[in-house]
Amino acid sequence: RTFRRERPAGEAFNYISTDTQVLAAVLRGAYGQSLIKTFNEKLAQPLGLSGGSWLMDRLGPGGKELGYCCLQLTLEDYAKLGQLYVQRGVVGGKRLLPLGWTRFVE
């Protein structure tokens, strides 16, 4: 509660690992399942990825994926993610990511 925004949301991009870890927690809460299950449903299956794994913060029950790193895929699968970017979030005529999403990473 003591943190304040440095600038309005969407105005500038500054990668900080804790921000992406918080985003991962938000996604887990929004979808009610693990990050890897959401990734598989929303991206891996539609893209035809062979599947992968995510490094966990600890082993056993209660472990959560490290949202800031460590998605482990084959080189071919990473190439498919790159192709998704090149095609602006559309694969096989189907939009997987919102229009304009690439502006967030450019």
Side-chain angles (χ1 to χ4, degrees), residues 17-60:
S17 294
T18 53
D19 290 354
T20 53
Q21 188 65 12
V22 168
L23 177 59
V26 169
L27 288 171
R28 278 191 294 272
Y31 287 100
Q33 60 187 11
S34 69
L35 205 54
I36 195 68
K37 283 184 180 179
T38 300
F39 174 81
N40 285 335
E41 288 175 11
K42 303 292 183 183
L43 287 175
Q45 291 171 357
L47 288 172
L49 304 186
S50 60
S53 62
W54 219 303
L55 189 63
M56 307 293 275
D57 63 357
R58 63 184 169 273
L59 297 176

Side-chain angles (χ1 to χ4, degrees), residues 7-97:
R7 55 186 76 85
E11 189 176 278
F13 177 76
N14 185 18
Y15 179 86
I16 301 171
S17 294
T18 53
D19 290 354
T20 53
Q21 188 65 12
V22 168
L23 177 59
V26 169
L27 288 171
R28 278 191 294 272
Y31 287 100
Q33 60 187 11
S34 69
L35 205 54
I36 195 68
K37 283 184 180 179
T38 300
F39 174 81
N40 285 335
E41 288 175 11
K42 303 292 183 183
L43 287 175
Q45 291 171 357
L47 288 172
L49 304 186
S50 60
S53 62
W54 219 303
L55 189 63
M56 307 293 275
D57 63 357
R58 63 184 169 273
L59 297 176
K64 294 179 177 55
E65 299 94 348
L66 296 174
Y68 55 86
C69 75
C70 312
L71 174 61
Q72 299 163 353
L73 300 171
T74 66
L75 188 56
E76 181 180 352
D77 287 348
Y78 272 115
K80 289 178 182 178
L81 286 176
Q83 190 64 35
L84 177 66
Y85 175 81
V86 168
Q87 294 173 199
R88 305 282 191 202
V90 177
V91 173
K94 182 180 177 187
R95 176 158 296 286
L96 298 181
L97 299 171

Side-chain angles (χ1 to χ4, degrees), residues 9-10 12-13 98-106:
F13 177 76
L99 187 63
W101 75 275
T102 55
R103 287 190 301 250
F104 293 109
V105 295
E106 292 176 344

